[in-house]
Amino acid sequence: MYVITVKNLTISYNKKPAIKGVNLNIEPGSVIGIIGPNGAGKSTLLKGMLGLLPFDTGDIKIFGENIDRSRKRISYIPQREQFDWDFPINVEDVVMMGRYAHLPIVGFPKAGDKEIVRQVLEKVEMDKYAKRQIRQLSGGQQQRVFLARALAQESDIYFLDEPFVGVDAKTERAIFKLMKELKGIGKTLLVVHHDLSMVKNYFDKLIMINQTLIAYGDSEKVFTPELVNKTYGGRLTMLQKTEELVSG
Ligand code: ADP
Ligand code: MG
């Protein structure tokens, strides 16, 4: 059974399509990169699969069910600039938000929830910062807190939108390690990544998109100069770089 099926998905902003006629069948247990140039529709695809945007056409199933029934099984870390923390909230409380789906409607966190929050903060090496205001942290530290929140949710699918952008080396390693670990316990990860470095190291499979789906398959098979150039518009400067990246 597929984790996610996308049929003929078209999503527009102001009647201008951002993605067109996308079809995908996503198998469980892999780390899948979504690559393509800026404005290619990568974030739109993720938001569409989460049911956050209206479709022009298309149908999406998560574990064979409509999104409304299965959204709780997905953790989503949006692209970073979308966060605006001008209200006071500490690290611990941000991570506890990940537990809300597990709490009763009018409920307070139980000891078990607090223990999970502690464990996931330890996992991303942010346990010492539990009481710190989120806005006082560096970009990389914030990103690790958002990862911890996603982990606390105990989902089956993880959507990460450009998690590596603007983070330090320590955070990059932490993200990579978590991706492998989650995959190891059968989770499915979809990770937007706009540049071409580390593609083969990070991802088992790739969704290559530029408005339409250019390719979906094992990184080994689809990360070729031809398909990369098709995805990135075939600019000459890219071509040279691509040859190096693909062979390297
Ligand atoms: P990517 O994540 O690959 O950079 P996006 O999915 O964010 O691309 O955007 C795809 C296209 O849709 C771009 O041309 C972008 O300008 C446009 N777009 C994205 N979000 C909006 C929005 N909220 N309103 C209008 N246009 C948008
Ligand atoms: Mg984006």
Side-chain angles (χ1 to χ4, degrees), residues 118-134:
R118 197 195 60 74
Q119 282 172 9
V120 294
L121 278 173
E122 200 173 86
K123 203 163 218 165
V124 299
E125 296 182 41
M126 287 300 291
D127 45 316
K128 292 190 188 66
Y129 297 83
K131 302 287 181 201
R132 193 75 69 86
Q133 295 294 308
I134 188 93

Side-chain angles (χ1 to χ4, degrees), residues 7-242:
K7 281 200 195 113
N8 191 30
L9 183 65
T10 298
I11 295 176
S12 301
Y13 300 102
N14 313 315
K15 307 218 162 115
K16 202 168 156 268
I19 54 173
K20 275 192 278 195
V22 173
N23 290 293
L24 285 167
N25 290 318
I26 308 283
E27 301 85 354
S30 42
V31 183
I32 302 158
I34 303 178
I35 66 168
N38 272 328
K42 304 181 296 298
S43 298
T44 301
L45 177 62
L46 279 195
K47 288 178 198 161
M49 290 193 287
L50 281 164
L52 298 176
L53 294 171
F55 314 157
D56 299 359
T57 64
D59 182 57
I60 295 179
K61 293 277 188 293
I62 311 283
F63 294 105
E65 292 194 305
N66 288 331
I67 308 167
D68 292 340
R69 300 188 57 131
S70 46
R71 191 179 288 119
K72 279 183 184 172
R73 299 179 72 174
I74 307 177
S75 286
Y76 170 47
I77 307 186
Q79 220 169 324
R80 270 263 292 297
E81 58 265 19
Q82 291 169 9
F83 292 107
D84 183 13
W85 299 100
D86 53 3
F87 56 98
I89 181 164
N90 72 23
V91 165
E92 205 169 55
D93 291 337
V94 169
V95 179
M96 187 59 83
M97 288 175 183
R99 298 299 302 161
Y100 285 174
H102 298 269
L103 302 179
I105 308 245
V106 202
F108 290 97
K110 302 206 170 46
D113 296 304
K114 289 184 179 157
E115 175 56 20
I116 287 168
V117 168
R118 197 195 60 74
Q119 282 172 9
V120 294
L121 278 173
E122 200 173 86
K123 203 163 218 165
V124 299
E125 296 182 41
M126 287 300 291
D127 45 316
K128 292 190 188 66
Y129 297 83
K131 302 287 181 201
R132 193 75 69 86
Q133 295 294 308
I134 188 93
R135 62 180 170 206
Q136 294 173 331
L137 304 177
S138 73
Q141 289 172 327
Q142 285 182 355
Q143 190 67 309
R144 275 184 278 147
V145 173
F146 300 135
L147 272 178
R149 181 179 58 181
L151 290 173
Q153 214 179 318
E154 299 182 319
S155 318
D156 298 303
I157 307 174
Y158 291 78
F159 285 177
L160 314 182
D161 198 341
E162 309 227 15
F164 296 103
V165 170
V167 303
D168 51 295
K170 180 176 179 173
T171 302
E172 191 173 332
R173 280 194 302 274
I175 297 171
F176 185 45
K177 199 173 133 207
L178 275 176
M179 291 194 322
K180 283 204 294 194
E181 207 172 301
L182 289 168
K183 173 190 149 181
I185 52 172
K187 311 288 187 183
T188 306
L189 291 85
L190 270 78
V191 184
V192 172
H193 194 68
H194 84 270
D195 71 67
L196 296 172
S197 59
M198 300 300 279
V199 161
K200 276 191 179 167
N201 301 40
Y202 285 156
F203 308 118
D204 308 315
K205 293 184 181 198
L206 291 177
I207 292 169
M208 301 170 82
I209 190 166
N210 194 350
Q211 264 197 24
T212 56
L213 183 73
I214 309 290
Y216 171 58
D218 293 343
S219 306
E220 304 271 294
K221 294 209 183 93
V222 297
F223 197 58
T224 62
E226 290 76 17
L227 288 174
V228 169
N229 281 306
K230 208 172 159 194
T231 309
Y232 283 77
R235 278 161 290 174
L236 204 66
T237 44
M238 280 297 311
L239 196 103
Q240 205 174 7
K241 205 174 156 210
T242 312

